[in-house]
Amino acid sequence: MTSMVSKVLFTVGDDVSTDVLYPGRYMATVLPTETPQYAFANDAEHNALLKAKNYEPGSVIVAGKNFGCGSSREQACSTLKGYDVTIVANDIARIFLQNSINLGLRVVTAPGVKASAGDELELLEERVVNRTTGESFPVVPLPKARQSIIDAGGLIAWTRKRLVEARPA
Amino acid sequence: MGMTVVEKILARASGLPKTKAGDVLEPRVDLAMSHENAALVINQFHEVYEGTGLTAAPWDPSRIAIIFDHRIPAESPKTASNQKKIRGFVELHGIDRFHDVRGDSGGICHQILPENGYVRPGFVVVGTDSHTTSHGALGAFSFGIGATEMASVWALGCAVNVEVPATIKVVVEGEFPPHVGPKDLILHAIGLLTAQGANFRVIEFHGETIRKMSTSGRLVVCNMSVEAGATSGIVPADAETVRYLREEAGVTDPLDLVVPDAEAAYQRVVTIDVTKLEPQIACPHTVDNVKSVGAVEGTKVHQIVIGSCTNGRLDDLAEAANAVRGKKVAKHTRMLVFPASGRIWLQALTKGYIGDLMAAGAVVMNAGCGPCLGIHEGALGDGEVALSTTNRNFKGRMGNPNSEVYLCSPAVAAASAVTGVITDPRKGGN
Ligand code: SF4
């Protein structure tokens, strides 16, 4: 991963669930392209901030512990991917992390990470540096099993490659 | 070093003599379950095949189960059209384990799978639903995945790049006091472990209390393991598992009970004694915000919900019916009951529970997810409070971010329906 400097768009606390990120009442809307307007739909302030699109692509949402806990609904990831944001969280719930990798939403686990809206974060492979406060936080590497999926450009491309390779000659 | 039950299951499913936590495997999948989100899986599945020149066909239709439960009967044209699309796929590929909107054979996926004998000890089960952890109650390794990952399973027949999770052993001892049971146990355990305390880990349940517990109770405990972040909960299979599968699920073929080695390596061991456990309540808006009932007694409740994949089985309905029989639901309170499956609905009808509940003022709904996830029925008004036997109380869960959901056992919910406020069932309703 190359280093990237991004601004913090907003911060959220612990246990932000998929019911906040993408409420069940919108789940009949299945296609990733249809979902962005519902991101953070149970959190009016952050929903509005995203929809205003008044930020640089790749801007960061800094989260507390257990980000994305709850449902397996992957719309919670695709909806955020539609906004081109990066998630930097203290820790991330398993299914959400897995869905992010599969769908190509950028997520970083950095325990203890502290930042405020507007801070400048430098995202390095082994650490996140808050350039505004000067603090630095170690990054937990993604489960090693998942790197090949990221390298392939997501799980669809990865699975397609496997199928083609296995095709009888 | 010996293996935990999940290490054993994954070793076998991967054709290896041994595995340990941290190993990366591609276990074959014995059962792949989806509900209405199969519409998204189908979409992703076809995308996988795009440009390959290969025909999109699932690896083994007999290992796929699709159950309509989240929004039945359909609440919108969009849902109805998604369901129609799924029916077409099911028919095209000959998926027999399909449960449509039906009073006899329909219901919530996490009840349909066990009661039809689709899950067996030692199986690797994946489902596009986070509460797929439920099926650990039958000694299977069963976990939730996203729709794209399911598309990959349908194409390849295995779960890809699975990191063998470390295991937390939870040993449960003692006898439950009256009006205290499996729901109180798991709420208490989630409070202890915290909402992310078991993230990326499996919880393996042991102890005399678990051994004596019915499969229905084990389903409650494994269902909610995900609320501590666990990849799965699991009760190693035993005589009760065999009894359930033979007597209640009608399974006749041989069963292979996989159990952990005595000297298995656990990351952590937690012991819980339930002898003095009090009724537990998870308060808004996180499931690990757990208190004893006394701390919130008297809180006014607008809606009581009894049902879901957590507590919508016959024993739960019996408990509710017994508590309200001959009494009335409090005036300012609504009581909604939704059995976990059509089979349970009919059993409850035969036993008279449905009549007892309705005579008391409860509305008994069709089997399905109902109000649990706030989609199409039983939504809450601004500022309202629900007391529910479901498994999640996140902000907005019951369809309204300006409402509150408390979680509890059927005993607490039913006692509170009569009084209209959160009530300790040990003291009785009025
Ligand atoms: S009853 Fe609730 S928790 Fe269970 S499967 Fe349905 S929506 Fe999910």
Side-chain angles (χ1 to χ4, degrees):
Chain A
M1 188 166 105
T2 49
S3 124
M4 197 170 95
V5 178
S6 306
K7 272 212 164 135
V8 177
L9 179 60
F10 59 79
T11 67
V12 291
D14 293 343
D15 301 309
V16 172
S17 77
T18 53
D19 281 309
V20 167
L21 293 173
Y22 194 86
R25 59 187 183 276
Y26 303 123
M27 268 163 63
T29 306
V30 293
L31 298 183
T33 47
E34 298 174 307
T35 57
Q37 78 261 36
Y38 305 125
F40 278 92
N42 271 344
D43 176 342
E45 181 195 337
H46 294 133
N47 175 261
L49 266 176
L50 284 169
K51 282 208 288 210
K53 289 221 171 143
N54 190 15
Y55 58 85
E56 293 289 313
S59 285
V60 176
I61 297 173
V62 175
K65 289 186 188 158
N66 209 21
F67 186 76
C69 60
S71 163
S72 67
R73 63 185 77 144
E74 64 183 33
Q75 290 97 327
C77 294
S78 54
T79 191
L80 290 172
K81 196 184 168 216
Y83 283 103
D84 197 3
V85 288
T86 301
I87 308 294
V88 177
N90 277 260
D91 87 61
I92 299 175
R94 181 188 66 89
I95 303 179
F96 187 91
L97 179 66
Q98 197 167 298
N99 284 340
S100 300
I101 293 165
N102 294 344
L103 298 172
L105 170 69
R106 285 184 307 274
V107 291
V108 177
T109 305
V113 65
K114 274 197 226 70
S116 312
D119 285 3
E120 231 171 46
L121 293 191
E122 185 176 7
L123 307 181
L124 298 156
E125 199 160 337
E126 4 37 271
R127 63 185 195 279
V128 170
V129 181
N130 185 331
R131 287 204 180 172
T132 309
T133 64
E135 282 182 289
S136 169
F137 310 92
V139 163
V140 178
L142 287 170
K144 60 178 182 287
R146 297 284 156 179
Q147 193 56 45
S148 66
I149 294 170
I150 295 174
D151 296 343
L155 188 60
I156 293 212
W158 191 92
T159 304
R160 186 183 293 140
K161 198 167 136 236
R162 282 280 295 265
L163 279 175
V164 170
E165 282 167 5
R167 187 202 315 250
Chain B
M1 214 23 138
M3 288 189 280
T4 68
V5 67
V6 165
E7 286 167 347
K8 266 195 186 170
I9 292 170
L10 285 175
R12 294 195 342 182
S14 311
L16 297 169
K18 237 179 133 41
T19 62
K20 57 179 187 325
D23 289 351
V24 178
L25 308 172
E26 282 194 357
R28 61 167 168 67
V29 164
D30 297 295
L31 187 68
M33 186 278 294
S34 292
H35 45 71
E36 280 96 332
N37 62 13
L40 180 53
V41 181
I42 291 168
N43 184 74
Q44 305 300 81
F45 182 65
H46 286 127
E47 210 171 293
V48 165
Y49 283 82
E50 233 168 66
T52 62
L54 298 164
T55 314
W59 98 106
D60 184 352
S62 75
R63 295 196 177 277
I64 294 177
I66 297 180
I67 289 96
F68 288 170
D69 56 7
H70 273 55
R71 3 174 108 232
I72 54 168
E75 91 298 355
S76 68
K78 195 155 209 169
T79 292
S81 301
N82 283 342
Q83 289 176 348
K84 183 178 166 203
K85 172 175 159 185
I86 297 167
R87 284 187 195 101
F89 187 89
V90 159
E91 179 139 353
L92 177 69
H93 296 289
I95 295 170
D96 292 334
R97 291 172 170 183
F98 169 59
H99 292 253
D100 208 331
V101 184
R102 284 182 66 105
D104 54 352
S105 58
I108 308 174
C109 56
H110 305 308
Q111 177 58 27
I112 294 298
L113 260 49
E115 76 178 25
N116 287 285
Y118 295 167
V119 180
R120 309 292 173 80
F123 267 22
V124 174
V125 180
V126 293
T128 44
D129 189 279
S130 54
H131 294 104
T132 301
T133 56
S134 304
H135 311 290
L138 295 160
F141 177 45
S142 185
F143 57 102
I145 61 175
T148 302
E149 188 138 358
M150 184 58 86
S152 178
V153 170
W154 283 6
L156 302 173
C158 59
V160 298
N161 292 3
V162 172
E163 220 170 282
V164 179
T167 297
I168 298 173
K169 180 178 185 176
V170 172
V171 184
V172 189
E173 307 284 0
E175 209 167 303
F176 285 115
H179 301 293
V180 176
K183 183 64 167 285
D184 303 293
L185 163 64
I186 191 63
L187 288 176
H188 176 68
I190 293 162
L192 280 180
L193 292 167
T194 77
Q196 75 272 4
N199 203 6
F200 295 103
R201 294 171 187 82
V202 165
I203 305 177
E204 202 180 278
F205 290 96
H206 290 267
E208 48 163 319
T209 316
I210 300 291
R211 292 292 143 231
K212 283 192 205 146
M213 195 182 282
S214 67
T215 296
S216 179
R218 295 173 180 186
L219 282 162
V220 176
V221 168
C222 291
N223 175 275
M224 288 198 72
S225 295
V226 70
E227 306 309 331
T231 304
S232 196
I234 188 164
V235 176
D238 61 6
E240 161 59 16
T241 319
V242 175
R243 184 207 64 79
Y244 178 87
L245 287 171
R246 297 266 183 258
E247 290 175 19
E248 297 192 39
V251 170
T252 51
D253 36 334
L255 299 169
D256 186 3
L257 310 187
V258 187
V259 293
D261 293 325
E263 71 290 11
Y266 297 100
Q267 195 190 42
R268 186 177 165 195
V269 179
V270 178
T271 305
I272 296 173
D273 184 349
V274 299
T275 317
K276 293 201 173 103
L277 189 65
E278 301 193 40
Q280 303 285 296
I281 313 275
C283 301
H285 295 286
T286 55
V287 185
D288 61 353
N289 186 13
V290 177
K291 297 178 179 157
S292 287
V293 64
V296 286
E297 233 176 326
T299 306
K300 185 170 171 173
V301 178
H302 303 90
Q303 180 164 295
I304 301 279
V305 175
I306 295 186
S308 85
C309 56
T310 316
N311 284 116
R313 276 174 290 276
L314 198 63
D315 51 344
D316 304 313
L317 301 180
E319 181 130 42
N322 291 339
V324 302
R325 188 174 300 119
K327 299 177 186 168
K328 288 286 181 192
V329 172
K331 239 188 177 146
H332 63 263
T333 305
R334 323 178 278 276
M335 182 181 192
L336 309 181
V337 178
F338 60 118
S341 72
R343 187 184 296 184
I344 291 169
W345 213 109
L346 288 167
Q347 287 168 342
L349 183 69
T350 309
K351 298 235 177 217
Y353 305 151
I354 302 281
D356 293 335
L357 288 161
M358 291 190 61
V363 176
V364 182
M365 301 146 91
N366 63 289
C369 296
C372 174
L373 77 168
I375 289 181
H376 73 308
E377 46 188 358
L380 296 168
D382 288 342
E384 285 195 327
V385 171
L387 179 67
S388 175
T389 70
T390 54
N391 49 33
R392 284 199 173 129
N393 60 353
F394 302 149
K395 192 178 173 211
R397 176 70 181 182
M398 278 191 191
N400 185 344
N402 305 313
S403 64
E404 292 188 328
V405 179
Y406 291 81
L407 305 177
C408 67
S409 69
V412 173
S416 306
V418 175
T419 57
V421 295
I422 296 180
T423 298
D424 185 338
R426 296 170 302 178
K427 298 177 187 165
N430 53 17

